[in-house]
């Protein structure tokens, strides 16, 4: 058997533990050499998990710099808090590690540039672990786009449409950093679901790029009403003002002329969706009723379009993405309906082969910068804000696989 | 029987004829005294229709000023081209008529102010005939909003989502003005579906107002590809550049802090929808899967929310709007699923009773101004643009019925 990939995991909260259980420990080609978290109980829990699964107890440290100094580590997985993703990723690149960075938004454009500069200096690859790029529907639609089924694409939309009120309000109890974000900031704080899949559909950084955005936030009423309704569980939140608007609408213009609408929608009651929508000159895909409309094939009868709901499933046989066909043939593994497994599978494959990951630093910087830029636009009353070209012109000649 | 309301109809294209057939001639309390159009064949057709239905031939004129001079006319219905709606409405108000103006968008903020000034000078009421305000779902949702079912409303969206490629490309043949709009302009050219119903949900001009907007247009590819594909029917359009972006996204901020996203989506293949969505602290309504989600009642199960699709129908018994309950009890009449009948019913009732119409000049100006303002915002690269307070402060004390 090939030598195992030696990894360190930085950040052992819910997500870190979930990844260990779901996609890291089940792999025979990966060895967890070290784990890191500020909290001792989390380190202990993770260490025990690794020991139970493998018989080997990993090193457990509270300072990630210590983990990065370990020369026997090939790659690190960063699942720390949003505020730390990029600085830890940069430190890891400087230490010569392959980096898998969990998703989140950037706080400034400058930290995105620092990531780029770290990569260009060290050539240590960094992949943003945007699992939604591996969703079955997202990949099927991407496959259809590449085959021209929807014609020329002119518009996409999507977002993070997930009622997180319970999770946010429990932040102080479960030590999740999200709560503080919602109290202090007002921006598109979680853009990469569904910007990631849309960026792939639109060849962003590969013949196209994100050019500018405008961002507008609604008032913030969801959290306030929620914690007042249930103040027995969250007495410390009584009277707290939440600055984060309930719905943030960000409209992005691309270099080739497409528009993208990204919505943050996490503090009002709703069903979960990523609202993925792709519009082309020959057809459309809509997640919210899981339908595909092909010009000349699905008629435009005003009253009877409900019969089309759910018809996207009928396109699976022809258009399911090869990645998913293989995956299903092998049997679904890992969390989030397989997306976690697939995104980490691509990461570990890059590490093993020494190749660049499919989602690279330029994507990471461009996608994460939307948070900082939307914060600027909202603060300026919806002012259009330019999105930097983090590739410094390389997007013109870079090509999608 | 009461004296009949004597009306003139200005504009006898498809819409004018449709209204005559569907909602005017069937009424026993309305008499068509005069009809007006630039085209003789249209005047002839309309006159014949009226004569067949009533035994009386109306006056037929090609100059609307002539019609407005007829002192026996109580009210005029303006279904002329978009470019003429407001100037004819203003002339009619100056002539002391009640005015029913068909929907469309304004070309400048100034013509909206002219409408306001004409009203404040003449006190002739003018109603924008936004039939979508009378849609059964729109009214049911409004009824639920007023009863607090969705909690405090923080966000709404909607639009005119209608594949018009065939209609637009046939413009030169069927003498429809839309074609020229799509060749020359780039804006939210048809905002009042669904801004009208949303404005009612959000008490616009009645305790709230539209404050500012940002508007971004995608590239324009739909029409070009459509006419090239089918250039046998539209040889005169070969090589024509269409300036109108396929998808225009306009985000409006309201005085009370709500956001509204309005989408124009008329030149790509799709099913018809008005995309009506209402989001509150206690629930949501979504037209695109016809569902209602009530906090604490519909669970947030990730995988299984499809079973909720279509459940809005289960709320009818409890929340159908009284206007619709009565209408259904009497039997549906008129076009567009009854909406035309209801909007004209309200207009004729105002005329008969000498009262102000439910959609007044302030609403007309505010809603129609979005076209001109979105044109500005798009031209300025998505710049936020202020929406005038056409009520000059009266919105603060005006109240919804």
């Amino acid at each position: 058997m090939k030598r195992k990939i030696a990894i360190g995991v930085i950040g052992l909260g819910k997500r870190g533990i979930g990844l260990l259980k779901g996609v890291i420990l089940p792999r025979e080609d990966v060895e967890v050499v070290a784990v890191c978290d500020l909290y001792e109980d989390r380190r202990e829990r993770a260490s025990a998990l690794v020991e139970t699964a493998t018989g080997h107890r990993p090193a457990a440290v509270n300072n990630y710099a210590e983990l990065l100094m370990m020369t026997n580590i090939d790659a690190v997985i960063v699942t720390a808090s949003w505020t730390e993703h990029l600085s830890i990723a940069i430190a890891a690149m400087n230490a010569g590690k392959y980096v898998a960075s969990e998703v989140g938004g950037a706080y400034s454009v400058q930290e995105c540039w620092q990531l780029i500069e770290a990569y260009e200096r060290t050539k240590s690859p960094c992949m943003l672990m945007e699992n939604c790029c591996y969703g079955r529907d997202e990949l099927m639609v991407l496959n259809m786009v590449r085959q021209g089924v929807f014609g020329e694409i002119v518009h996409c939309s999507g977002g993070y449409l997930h009622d997180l009120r319970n999770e946010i309000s429990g932040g102080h109890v479960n030590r999740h950093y999200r709560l503080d974000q919602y109290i202090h900031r007002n921006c598109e704080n979680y853009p990469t679901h569904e910007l990631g899949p849309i960026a792939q559909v639109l060849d962003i950084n590969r013949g196209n790029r994100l050019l500018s955005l405008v961002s507008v936030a609604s008032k913030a009423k969801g959290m306030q009403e929620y914690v007042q309704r249930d103040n027995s569980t969250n007495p410390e939140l009584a009277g707290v003002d939440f600055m984060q608007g309930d719905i943030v609408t960000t409209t992005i213009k691309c270099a080739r002329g497409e528009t993208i609408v990204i919505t943050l929608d996490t503090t009002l009651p709703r069903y979960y969706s990523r609202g993925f929508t792709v519009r082309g000159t020959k057809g459309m895909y809509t997640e919210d009723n899981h339908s595909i409309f092909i010009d000349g094939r699905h008629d435009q009868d005003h009253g009877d379009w409900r019969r089309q709901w759910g018809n996207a499933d009928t396109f699976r046989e022809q258009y399911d993405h090869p990645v998913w066909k293989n995956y299903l043939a092998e049997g679904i593994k890992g969390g989030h309906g397989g997306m976690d497994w697939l995104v980490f599978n691509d990461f570990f494959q890059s590490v093993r082969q020494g190749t660049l990951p499919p989602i690279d630093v330029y994507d990471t910087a461009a996608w994460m910068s939307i948070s900082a830029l939307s914060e600027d636009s909202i603060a300026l009353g919806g002012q259009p804000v330019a999105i930097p070209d983090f590739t410094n012109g390389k997007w013109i000649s870079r090509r999608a696989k």
Side-chain angles (χ1 to χ4, degrees), chain A:
Chain A
M1 191 188 155
K2 296 170 285 188
R3 188 179 81 79
K4 290 188 178 188
I5 299 168
I7 69 162
V9 180
I10 300 171
L12 303 168
K14 192 173 143 198
R15 180 67 177 156
I17 295 294
L19 289 175
L20 277 173
K21 286 184 183 173
V23 303
I24 298 171
L25 294 174
R27 293 187 72 103
E28 294 189 350
D29 61 342
V30 172
E31 183 181 2
V32 181
V33 174
V35 294
C36 171
D37 200 285
L38 292 174
Y39 295 106
E40 192 182 351
D41 60 317
R42 289 181 173 179
R43 293 195 297 272
E44 177 50 37
R45 186 177 176 206
S47 299
L49 264 179
V50 175
E51 190 171 18
T52 304
T54 67
H56 300 288
R57 198 167 177 85
V61 299
N62 69 355
N63 180 349
Y64 68 80
E66 224 174 300
L67 184 150
L68 294 178
M69 279 189 294
M70 298 179 187
T71 51
N72 59 334
I73 290 181
D74 304 306
V76 298
I77 295 168
V78 183
T79 73
S81 77
W82 293 349
T83 41
E84 300 299 327
H85 283 185
L86 284 176
S87 55
I88 298 175
I90 290 165
M93 290 158 84
N94 284 331
K97 312 300 187 194
Y98 258 81
V99 183
S101 177
E102 266 304 324
V103 298
Y107 293 81
S108 71
V109 170
Q110 185 57 25
E111 65 173 348
C112 300
W113 278 118
Q114 287 168 351
L115 184 82
I116 299 292
E117 286 162 14
Y119 170 69
E120 294 183 346
R121 190 172 58 242
T122 65
K123 300 294 177 197
S124 298
C126 171
M127 176 169 172
L128 187 72
M129 306 311 282
E130 184 38 86
N131 56 5
C132 298
C133 291
Y134 293 80
R136 190 176 179 190
D137 289 339
E138 281 90 342
L139 279 176
M140 178 173 80
V141 169
L142 177 64
N143 194 25
M144 295 175 77
V145 168
R146 293 274 159 82
Q147 293 189 43
V149 177
F150 298 117
E152 181 172 348
I153 308 301
V154 302
H155 178 79
C156 295
S157 57
Y160 189 46
L161 319 177
H162 190 181
D163 177 2
L164 294 173
R165 291 173 299 167
N166 184 49
E167 189 172 327
I168 294 166
S169 64
H172 286 157
V173 177
N174 63 27
R175 298 175 297 193
H176 199 284
Y177 47 89
R178 216 174 222 129
L179 173 60
D180 284 331
Q181 306 294 315
Y182 280 76
I183 292 173
H184 293 283
R185 301 174 77 204
N186 189 11
C187 65
E188 170 45 88
N189 66 31
Y190 210 64
T192 70
H193 316 339
E194 191 77 356
L195 181 56
I198 290 170
Q200 296 187 324
V201 161
L202 296 178
D203 305 320
I204 298 302
N205 294 332
R206 292 159 186 82
N208 198 5
R209 81 171 188 91
L210 307 176
L211 203 60
S212 66
L213 65 78
V214 293
S215 209
V216 182
S218 78
K219 58 185 168 184
K221 292 291 175 182
M223 285 307 304
Q224 205 163 338
E225 188 172 315
Y226 184 80
V227 300
Q228 278 165 2
R229 209 187 299 174
D230 187 24
N231 59 13
S232 57
T233 22
N234 304 108
E236 79 284 6
L237 293 178
V240 164
D241 272 342
F242 288 84
M243 289 299 116
Q244 177 62 55
D246 291 322
I247 307 276
V248 175
T249 305
T250 301
T251 309
I252 299 173
K253 188 91 190 220
C254 300
R256 282 194 316 217
E258 305 93 338
T259 43
I260 303 170
V261 175
I262 296 290
T263 305
L264 180 78
D265 173 0
T266 54
T267 49
L268 294 173
R270 65 161 301 130
Y271 52 80
Y272 179 90
S273 171
R274 294 194 291 273
F276 188 39
T277 303
V278 172
R279 305 297 307 280
T281 53
K282 291 189 169 61
M284 73 185 279
Y285 165 78
T286 321
E287 177 179 346
D288 274 351
N289 52 33
H290 195 52
S291 76
I292 286 172
F293 186 103
I294 304 296
D295 200 17
R297 179 165 160 195
H298 302 98
D299 69 74
Q300 300 151 38
D301 183 14
H302 269 210
D304 201 21
W305 57 275
R306 289 187 201 182
R307 64 189 157 77
Q308 201 184 306
W309 294 352
N311 79 347
D313 286 332
T314 64
F315 290 78
R316 292 247 191 261
E317 196 179 330
Q318 194 174 357
Y319 294 111
D320 220 1
H321 196 282
V323 160
W324 264 89
K325 282 189 174 160
N326 296 339
Y327 182 56
L328 289 169
E330 291 168 8
I332 284 222
K333 297 174 285 277
H336 289 111
M339 302 192 303
D340 285 343
W341 184 270
L342 291 170
V343 66
F344 275 88
N345 198 51
D346 264 9
F347 175 71
F348 289 127
Q349 195 171 32
S350 297
V351 177
R352 177 161 300 287
Q353 300 175 346
T355 52
L356 289 175
I359 302 170
D360 66 12
V361 276
Y362 301 106
D363 303 318
T364 306
W367 303 356
M368 290 181 73
S369 74
I370 300 305
S371 292
L373 296 167
S374 77
E375 200 167 9
D376 294 349
S377 180
I378 291 167
L380 296 167
Q383 197 81 7
V385 173
I387 303 171
D389 173 10
F390 292 105
T391 73
N392 279 320
K394 290 189 281 290
W395 67 271
I396 296 173
S397 52
R398 282 162 52 105
R399 281 294 167 271
K401 263 187 255 181

